[in-house]
Amino acid sequence: MRLKMLRNRSDLKIVLVLSVLTSVISAFCFYYFFNFQPFDTDDISYLFQAKLFAQGRLYADAPPEMGFNPSENINVLDGKWYSKYPFGYSLILTPGMLIEMPWLLPVLLAGATVFLIYLIVNKAFGKGPALIAAVLAFISPANLGMNVFYFSECSNRFFLALFCLA
């Protein structure tokens, strides 16, 4: 019985290390490849709205002479300037924007998702398959690749995993 208890703690330590490593590697790749800069107009739109939220605003006043809209993902309507996307992911980025590190939230969610995947598979199939699932989530190129952008996929995976666990 005592040996099983130690093994359970060992599995939990491994999964916590995998989760932290996922966040650290994601942060490193985000910095190394993109210097924490937005990748495309979706990213810019999310960050624009998060910056507005961090300022306590829902929209910015549109410049009087726009000329052309710099992004198809940022709306200008009735003198208001705001993101065309739903506000959920921008709200998630807002705490990071307040400390001028919006990249922190996607990489933290990535690590937390690996931990949630472990918990889901552990509940359904036991510790062995759960550990394998956590390792697969950790080494998945698709998972790592989507964690180094400001895309909303990292929060989607996190909340979907949280929903499945509940």
Side-chain angles (χ1 to χ4, degrees):
M1 180 74 168
R2 185 161 173 83
L3 183 63
K4 185 177 180 184
M5 202 175 193
L6 289 175
R7 188 175 144 236
N8 292 346
R9 286 186 182 165
S10 174
D11 287 354
L12 189 59
K13 286 179 186 176
I14 291 169
V15 173
L16 286 174
V17 167
L18 288 174
S19 297
V20 170
L21 278 176
T22 299
S23 292
V24 169
I25 291 170
S26 296
F28 173 77
C29 290
F30 208 160
Y31 171 74
Y32 184 78
F33 294 111
F34 299 104
N35 197 26
F36 299 125
Q37 296 301 311
F39 176 71
D40 74 350
T41 55
D42 290 350
D43 292 357
I44 292 168
S45 181
Y46 290 130
L47 291 172
F48 177 74
Q49 194 67 41
K51 187 173 185 177
L52 290 174
F53 288 156
Q55 296 170 354
R57 302 168 65 189
L58 295 176
Y59 60 87
D61 296 330
E65 297 284 332
M66 281 293 287
F68 66 92
N69 192 358
S71 170
E72 69 273 5
N73 297 332
I74 298 177
N75 292 334
V76 177
L77 182 67
D78 297 330
K80 297 175 182 154
W81 208 9
Y82 55 92
S83 172
K84 78 171 189 176
Y85 291 110
F87 60 87
Y89 185 58
S90 295
L91 279 176
I92 291 170
L93 292 174
T94 300
M97 192 63 77
L98 288 169
I99 59 172
E100 297 182 8
M101 295 182 355
W103 57 268
L104 188 60
L105 279 298
V107 299
L108 289 177
L109 289 175
T113 301
V114 170
F115 188 74
L116 288 174
I117 288 170
Y118 171 80
L119 294 177
I120 292 165
V121 177
N122 181 30
K123 193 173 185 179
F125 301 107
K127 298 228 181 271
L131 195 55
I132 291 169
V135 169
L136 289 174
F138 169 71
I139 65 172
S140 167
N143 187 35
L144 180 62
M146 292 310 292
N147 298 334
V148 298
F149 300 109
Y150 290 106
F151 292 157
S152 62
E153 280 79 356
C154 59
S155 67
N156 295 345
R157 282 192 312 271
F158 173 79
F159 286 110
L160 181 60
L162 195 60
F163 175 78
C164 288
L165 183 64

